[in-house]
């Protein structure tokens, strides 16, 4: 019994009162979003006074009293252990940038329905009218008793790093910034399979990442944790290296663990002889730079809607090509990771999502491809029904093995 959505407008306006030149009522995207993409639905019947007395007063008082005496019962007698808060401040929304909390809501609703569709996890969009780190942290901490986990979404770097760190320190439920870790998990899964296809190990590969924002930093750290040989990260000013004096604190830390080869200069300089290109920055990589990569290279150009290297160009030089788009093979899509990761963490009531759990998710995701591995298939489709169960089981097992599971 979904809550009824009542549209207060009696005319055909689709924007502000009196009509809008921006919202096209004939565009299928606007038609789909009209009224929002979500509703609240009851899981128990309320058909008569007996149902009402159990679902609400007086029956509910027994459950409230029991939880007050034994707080851990909240996981058994409410939806807490199966619901995630999808939290944003609207500062880094898709490729749109800082568009504010209201404009971010369609994306957050979309994220919530993907949680449900692909992981069986309920999620609630929460768009905050603040960009202050302290205020965001304090707000989420106060909201946390209602949720089993927190998915941070579309919060700009470098604030996103501090927000995630402080929230995980304060809360005993999983906190996961999907723009960082979801992207990293799916990238590692695709890279493991690309390496397997070419008969190489991760340790034999040197990668270049363009983009030192949330995704670029997380991917670099995660790939190194998983055993990648070396990685250089580039920003607008070139390779992030120890000899640069203009680095932020986050980039200084990154420079300490990346670029073992000691490279300096531009993205083009870094790509010469590289085995892997990973794009999370937008912009365009010159074809000559792609041509300078090592034979049998991998190109993961993940900017949307326009990849940094168009697949037609990449295929001239690379053995494996992946993008962030659904209309090309090998889509690096976060929906392959976050629903199953949270489902597994919630299943065992994990207190956090660890590096080991994320690596387990990537390995499970890569394993779904199995013997069907090919240059056009190094990562499964989001609609492959094997994905979420495999990731869920792997994450739950890793949480138990690492001692962060509470059941």
């Amino acid at each position: 019994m979904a809550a009824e959505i009542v549209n207060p407008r009696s005319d055909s306006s689709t924007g502000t009162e009196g009509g809008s030149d921006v919202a096209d009522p004939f565009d299928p995207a606007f038609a789909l979003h009209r009224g929002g993409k979500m509703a609240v639905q009851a899981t128990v019947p309320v058909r008569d006074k007996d149902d009402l007395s159990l679902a609400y007063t007086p029956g509910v008082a027994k459950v409230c009293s029991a939880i007050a005496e034994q707080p851990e019962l909240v996981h058994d007698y409410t939806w807490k252990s199966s619901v995630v808060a999808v939290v944003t401040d609207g500062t880094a929304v898709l490729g749109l940038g800082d568009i504010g909390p209201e404009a971010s809501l369609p994306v957050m609703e979309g994220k919530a329905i993907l949680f449900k569709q692909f992981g069986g996890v309920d999620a609630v969009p929460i768009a905050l009218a603040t960009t202050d780190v302290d205020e965001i942290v304090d707000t989420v901490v106060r909201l946390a008793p209602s949720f089993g986990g927190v998915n941070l979404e579309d919060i700009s770097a470098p604030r996103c790093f501090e927000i995630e760190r402080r929230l995980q320190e304060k809360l005993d439920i999983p906190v996961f910034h999907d723009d960082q870790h979801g992207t990293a998990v799916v990238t590692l899964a695709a890279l493991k399979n690309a390496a397997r296809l070419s008969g190489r190990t991760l340790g034999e590969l040197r990668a270049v990442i363009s983009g030192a924002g949330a995704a670029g930093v997380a991917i670099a750290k995660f790939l190194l944790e998983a055993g990648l040989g070396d990685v250089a990260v580039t920003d607008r000013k070139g390779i992030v290296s120890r000899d640069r004096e203009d680095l932020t604190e986050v980039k200084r830390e990154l420079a300490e663990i990346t670029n073992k080869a000691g490279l300096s200069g531009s993205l083009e300089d870094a790509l010469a002889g590289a085995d892997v290109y990973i794009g999370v920055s937008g912009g365009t990589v010159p074809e000559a730079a792609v041509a300078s990569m090592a034979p049998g290279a991998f190109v993961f150009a993940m900017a949307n809607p326009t990849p940094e290297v168009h697949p037609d160009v990449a295929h001239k030089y690379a053995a494996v090509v992946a993008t962030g788009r659904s209309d090309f093979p090998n889509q690096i899509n976060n929906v392959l990771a976050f629903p199953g990761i949270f489902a597994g963490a919630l299943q065992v009531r994990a207190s956090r999502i660890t590096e080991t759990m994320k690596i387990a998710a990537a390995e499970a995701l890569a394993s779904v491809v199995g013997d069907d591995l090919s240059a056009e298939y190094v990562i499964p489709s989001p609609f492959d029904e094997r994905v979420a169960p495999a990731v869920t089981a792997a994450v739950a097992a890793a949480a138990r093995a690492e001692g962060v599971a509470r059941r």
Side-chain angles (χ1 to χ4, degrees), residues 4-340:
E4 183 180 5
I5 298 174
V6 179
N7 191 329
R9 304 185 184 96
S10 58
D11 60 15
S12 60
S13 74
T14 57
T16 57
E17 192 170 331
S20 170
D21 294 329
V22 177
D24 180 358
F26 300 105
D27 186 307
F30 284 100
L32 182 145
H33 282 79
R34 188 171 179 84
K37 301 192 290 283
M38 299 175 61
V40 175
Q41 182 170 331
T43 60
V44 297
V46 185
R47 299 162 300 197
D48 52 37
K49 65 181 183 64
D50 292 332
D51 289 343
L52 182 59
S53 69
L54 287 174
Y56 200 53
T57 186
V60 73
K62 297 179 182 179
V63 180
C64 293
S65 297
I67 294 172
E69 290 184 24
Q70 298 182 47
E72 67 274 11
L73 292 177
V74 70
H75 298 284
D76 297 314
Y77 295 104
T78 74
W79 76 336
K80 178 181 173 73
S81 281
S82 63
V83 64
V84 170
V86 180
V87 179
T88 190
D89 63 0
T91 55
V93 181
L94 296 179
L96 303 174
D98 186 356
I99 60 175
E102 287 87 355
S104 76
L105 271 176
V107 177
M108 301 310 119
E109 288 183 4
K111 198 79 173 189
I113 64 175
L114 295 180
F115 264 111
K116 189 67 173 180
Q117 175 73 23
F118 294 102
V121 174
D122 289 300
V124 177
I126 298 176
L128 302 178
T130 179
T131 60
D132 181 82
V133 170
D134 291 336
E135 291 182 356
I136 292 172
V137 171
D138 290 345
T139 300
V140 176
V141 167
R142 286 168 169 77
L143 290 170
S146 296
F147 299 99
V150 175
N151 184 91
L152 300 173
E153 190 75 21
D154 293 349
I155 299 174
S156 62
R159 296 174 311 114
C160 59
F161 303 115
E162 183 179 0
I163 290 169
E164 182 187 40
R165 177 184 60 78
R166 287 172 56 182
L167 283 174
Q168 192 61 86
E169 288 174 354
K170 289 175 177 288
L171 300 176
D172 65 348
I173 58 175
V175 178
F176 185 84
H177 185 207
D178 187 51
D179 302 316
Q180 293 183 60
H181 310 301
T183 308
V185 166
V186 183
T187 301
L188 174 58
L191 187 57
K192 286 177 73 70
N193 274 339
R196 178 163 70 94
L197 182 67
S198 67
R200 289 178 284 177
T201 65
L202 290 181
E204 298 175 78
L205 303 176
R206 179 173 74 83
V208 176
I209 298 174
S210 63
V217 171
I219 292 170
K221 291 181 177 179
F222 191 56
L223 293 183
L224 289 173
E225 181 78 17
L228 185 71
D230 192 14
V231 58
V233 182
T234 66
D235 60 12
R236 291 182 179 87
K237 296 183 179 180
I239 299 169
V240 175
S241 58
R242 295 180 183 181
D243 59 355
R244 281 178 50 181
E245 298 180 354
D246 60 344
L247 299 179
T248 63
E249 181 179 351
V250 170
K251 291 180 184 178
R252 282 198 300 272
E253 293 175 357
L254 191 64
E256 291 297 320
I257 62 171
T258 60
N259 192 22
K260 297 174 186 175
L263 303 174
S264 60
S266 65
L267 170 65
E268 288 85 349
D269 294 323
L271 281 176
D275 302 295
V276 185
Y277 167 73
I278 298 170
V280 285
S281 64
T284 302
V285 178
E287 182 172 346
V290 181
S292 75
M293 295 178 69
F298 313 141
V299 171
F300 293 0
M302 299 188 287
N304 263 317
T306 306
E308 295 91 345
V309 183
H310 192 280
D312 291 345
V313 173
H315 277 298
K316 294 180 184 179
Y317 312 101
V320 176
V321 177
T323 71
R325 289 174 46 158
S326 60
D327 53 345
F328 293 113
N330 296 326
Q331 184 191 18
I332 308 294
N333 191 329
N334 288 12
V335 77
L336 289 163
F338 69 82

